[in-house]
Structures are given as structure tokens and as C-alpha cells.
Amino acid sequence: MKIIYHCFGGSHSSVTAAALHLGMLNKSGIPTNEQLLEIPYYDKTTDADFGTIRYMGTDEFGNEVYVLGKKSMGNRYSQVLMGVAEILGKRDQLVLVNCMDRVNWSMKIGGFTSRRLKLVLVGRPVVTWGTRQAFNQLVNLVEITRIKVMRNNKNIQVT
Amino acid sequence: MNNKNLLFLGTTGIYHTLIAAHLYVNKAFPADFTNLKYWGDLSKENWGYPLFLDQDEHSNKIYSLGVGLNLQMSANSIQQLVRILGCSEQDLIVKPIFIKRERLLYFFHRISRFKLLKFFTLPIIIYLLRFETTYINQQVAKIIN
């Protein structure tokens, strides 16, 4: 299966969720700022990365995990991509996970300041603090996703 | 030879992409835009799935899809997804259809959600698209050739 975690910029919540899914982060404790910044792509994307589906790794069940930044296209983007998979007859191989519901205001403001305004020194501490606050929510989202994938549910869209 | 899928991608999937698809299949502009299948059908547009329109003379399936103002970004995502799913670019050919009054069309499309306004916006959209036929024709001609 191909699992795509997506959020606004594909830089914070989706990347953290994908890292949790792949075991790069320990879900039993809140990560430190340094641990977050060690995740590939975390707070490192540019405008050119919008819409790029980036490979993060393969989990222990052989599922490929990707991240995607889809700007403000909301949950409709899941439908768009799922529709494309359906045309290709591959709908049952795709799992789309929208991370936006787990994003708090600190992540939004910090992410915007760091990535869009390029004020990394100001934005990065705010977004990492926000990510730590939202960490348990993201753990919950990943656990739901992993359980659903393990049950081999078809046509999954997790919100 | 395997049949292909051709996806016309636009800011909306229920106006100019339908004209492009009709032009591609029938080699002529529709006499009346409003007779096109899914024309102005907001419920289908909101659904988010590609709309199956027709088949061309080679039995290739033709679809239309609206993705908002992030047209190029969406086209890139879709083409990448095709590869990730183990298919080739020939299995799903993505053709973004651009128009010069993209933002204006999208604005009227967005406010069409309000039923009272839809009465006014649909004729405006038709009026706008009449200025775009040459540009649409050029893009479809490139696809055919």
C-alpha cells in the first residue's frame, strides 16, 4: 500500500505523522526540538515542494509512506487523488491521511513565519513548540491509520 | 494497444475543460455550452472525483477535473501519483487547460454556490468563455497533434 500523509505545506504535521508511522519518533514521549529537526523535511521545505509527493520510508509491513503539501485545498484533495487512483484501478492500494485537523494555531503561525516569511529564527521555535503540543493528537491519527491499514480496509481516507 | 485515460484539468471541471473535451472528441465547438454534460453542475464539482465524459474514436476515456487555482501544483501531484501507483504516464495523460481569465472565472464559479447568484453568474461565465475559445482551441490542437 501507498500511504500519503498530507497537510498545508508538507513540512510539519504530515512529516511528523509520517516519522511516527515509520518509527523515527518514539510515540511514548514528547520529542525534543532537536529530535523534531532531525526528521527529514521537517521545517525544511520551500515553495517548490508544494504538490510534490515525497517518499519518507517503508514501514515494517512493506507499506510505502509519503508526505504531501497541498496548500489550502482541504479534504477535497483526498477525493481528487483517490479519484485518480480509481481511474487507474488502484484505489485499494492508496491510503490518504489528512493531518490538518490535528494542526494547532502555533503550528500554523510558526510554520507560516518560518516557511513563507522565511523568518526561521522566529518561526521555528513556535512551530516546534506547536508540534510538541499537537504530538499526542498526531500519535492518535497515526495509530488509527496503522490499525486501519493492518485490517486492510479498502479506500481509506482518514481525517 | 491499451486504452488510455485522458484527464482535462482546469481551475473548474465543469466549464472550460468540458468545452476542451468536447472539442477533442467531436472536433468542433459545442453549439450551446449549456448542453454539455455536467455543465455548471456544482454538486459533481464539489464531489472532487474526475468526471467521466466520453470516449474518443480510439476508445480512450476522457475525464474532466477542477482543482482550483493551484492548477500546475495539482497536475504535478497527479502525474507523480500515477508513477507511485506503478502506472506509466500513458495510462493517465494529464492535460491542464488554461484560460486567460482564470481568476475571474474561478471567482464567478465560487459565488455560484449561492443559488440566487447562480442565476446571474452562469450567463457571465458563458460570456467570459466566448473570449477564450481560440485559446482553448490552440491547446486542444496541440493535444491532438
Side-chain angles (χ1 to χ4, degrees):
Chain A
M1 269 191 175
K2 323 288 181 191
I3 302 165
I4 302 177
Y5 288 95
H6 57 91
C7 63
F8 184 94
S11 187
H12 303 109
S13 60
S14 59
V15 165
T16 308
L20 273 164
H21 188 114
L22 293 165
M24 292 177 190
L25 287 175
N26 188 351
K27 63 188 175 200
S28 58
I30 308 285
T32 61
N33 290 354
E34 289 71 29
Q35 285 172 323
L36 286 174
L37 292 170
E38 278 172 15
I39 303 170
Y41 307 122
Y42 185 89
D43 202 40
K44 295 179 190 81
T45 54
T46 64
D47 285 354
D49 292 316
F50 282 122
T52 306
I53 303 173
R54 280 166 286 134
Y55 176 72
M56 284 285 287
T58 302
D59 71 11
E60 65 271 38
F61 304 109
N63 302 307
E64 292 173 15
V65 178
Y66 297 84
V67 293
L68 166 67
K70 43 114 195 246
K71 290 193 178 174
S72 55
M73 290 196 62
N75 213 33
R76 189 173 180 275
Y77 212 54
S78 296
Q79 300 288 93
V80 167
L81 296 181
M82 200 54 95
V84 169
E86 188 166 319
I87 289 176
L88 297 167
K90 306 271 186 179
R91 195 184 152 110
D92 57 340
Q93 290 183 24
L94 184 64
V95 178
L96 294 158
V97 187
N98 185 5
C99 301
M100 283 308 292
D101 293 344
R102 267 65 174 185
V103 174
N104 54 38
W105 277 103
S106 304
M107 291 180 80
K108 286 177 187 172
I109 293 166
F112 178 79
T113 311
S114 174
R115 296 297 89 209
R116 184 60 64 89
L117 301 181
K118 309 209 183 302
L119 299 171
V120 180
L121 276 176
V122 181
R124 187 165 282 176
V126 181
V127 76
T128 49
W129 186 81
T131 307
R132 296 177 75 219
Q133 296 299 307
F135 190 74
N136 289 332
Q137 288 284 312
L138 290 167
V139 170
N140 174 257
L141 179 70
V142 171
E143 286 303 299
I144 292 169
T145 306
R146 286 173 64 90
I147 289 166
K148 285 188 175 177
V149 171
M150 273 194 289
R151 285 180 182 168
N152 205 17
N153 278 358
K154 310 286 185 192
N155 316 329
I156 304 163
Q157 287 179 38
V158 184
T159 55
Chain B
M1 192 175 78
N2 285 340
N3 293 337
K4 300 170 192 166
N5 298 292
L6 180 58
L7 179 64
F8 286 98
L9 206 62
T11 44
T12 79
I14 52 172
Y15 300 115
H16 57 299
T17 48
L18 299 183
I19 297 171
H22 185 277
L23 187 58
Y24 176 79
V25 174
N26 300 300
K27 312 288 185 271
F29 273 104
D32 182 359
F33 294 164
T34 58
N35 286 338
L36 292 170
K37 188 180 178 184
Y38 301 125
W39 178 267
D41 190 339
L42 289 171
S43 61
K44 286 281 188 291
E45 173 81 350
N46 293 338
W47 189 36
Y49 272 59
L51 304 171
F52 173 69
L53 302 175
D54 207 343
Q55 292 191 348
D56 67 10
E57 69 266 33
H58 305 295
S59 301
N60 300 318
K61 291 179 178 169
I62 312 297
Y63 295 86
S64 171
L65 178 64
V67 289
L69 292 171
N70 300 310
L71 189 53
Q72 199 55 58
M73 182 195 87
S74 303
N76 292 343
S77 295
I78 291 169
Q79 284 166 334
Q80 216 180 346
L81 181 66
V82 170
R83 289 193 293 273
I84 286 169
L85 290 172
C87 299
S88 82
E89 287 174 18
Q90 292 301 308
D91 292 319
L92 180 68
I93 300 166
V94 182
K95 291 291 174 191
I97 299 293
F98 298 96
I99 57 168
K100 288 172 183 167
R101 296 161 184 86
E102 208 89 71
R103 286 182 180 273
L104 205 52
L105 175 80
Y106 191 64
F107 169 74
F108 285 115
H109 166 67
R110 293 287 290 174
I111 63 170
S112 296
R113 287 178 299 170
F114 304 104
K115 277 187 182 173
L116 272 176
L117 292 176
K118 196 176 178 181
F119 182 75
F120 299 103
T121 53
L122 275 178
I124 295 170
I125 287 169
I126 293 168
Y127 177 77
L128 284 175
L129 289 176
R130 292 210 185 281
F131 293 103
E132 302 283 354
T133 50
T134 312
Y135 195 44
I136 294 171
N137 196 9
Q138 286 169 355
Q139 291 174 78
V140 174
K142 274 186 190 169
I143 298 167
I144 293 170
N145 298 327

